[in-house]
Amino acid sequence: MSIFIDETICNGCKGLPEARCERICPGDLCYRKENTKAAIRDQSACWTCASCVKECPVQAIELRLPFQICSSGSSLKARLKRDKTIWTVWDAEGHQEEFIIRTRWLKGD
Ligand code: SF4
Ligand code: SF4
C-alpha cells in the first residue's frame, strides 16, 4: 500500500499554520512544499495508517491498495463526518463503491 497526494486537488490547507495532514501524521511525514501543495517525505517510512487520508478535507489523499486486497489499480479515499467515516473504493476502470464505518453513536441513534 502507498499514499498518493493529488496536487490538482490539494489546496494546501490555505490559512492554516499547519496543514491538516502535517498535523495528523504520526510519523511527521507530510509537509507542504514551496508551492504549498502537500507531499510525503519518505514513502518507505509510512505505515499506511490512513490518518492523513481521513483528515484531508478535500479528499486529495488516497491510499493505493495492493492487488491482494482489491483489483490492481484500486484506491481508497475517505470523508469524515461527525459520527462516521465514509470510505470510497474504486478500481482502475472507475467503478466505485462506498462503505460507511460508524465512529460514534449520537443521541437518538
Ligand atoms: S498514512 Fe499515516 S503514516 Fe502514512 S503519511 Fe499518512 S498519516 Fe503519515
Ligand atoms: S490536508 Fe489535504 S488539502 Fe490540506 S495540505 Fe494536506 S493534502 Fe492538501
Side-chain angles (χ1 to χ4, degrees), residues 30-82:
C30 299
Y31 71 102
R32 283 180 291 191
K33 300 185 290 186
E34 277 182 21
N35 68 359
T36 75
K37 304 292 183 177
I40 297 183
R41 273 184 242 287
D42 181 2
Q43 280 279 0
S44 67
C46 169
W47 57 90
T48 58
C49 67
S51 297
C52 58
V53 176
K54 290 187 280 184
E55 192 68 8
C56 177
V58 293
Q59 289 80 52
I61 310 178
E62 66 188 57
L63 183 59
R64 296 205 160 156
L65 302 171
F67 71 91
Q68 296 94 335
I69 291 180
C70 224
S71 60
S72 184
S74 297
S75 295
L76 195 60
K77 284 192 180 188
R79 279 174 288 144
L80 278 190
K81 301 290 180 189
R82 204 156 69 97

Side-chain angles (χ1 to χ4, degrees), residues 4-7 9-14 16 18-22 24 30-32 36-39 52-53 55-61:
F4 173 77
I5 301 176
D6 188 338
E7 286 198 9
I9 300 175
C10 170
N11 61 15
C13 285
K14 201 174 171 190
L16 294 181
E18 188 177 30
R20 291 172 189 271
C21 55
E22 284 181 301
I24 202 77
C30 299
Y31 71 102
R32 283 180 291 191
T36 75
K37 304 292 183 177
C52 58
V53 176
E55 192 68 8
C56 177
V58 293
Q59 289 80 52
I61 310 178

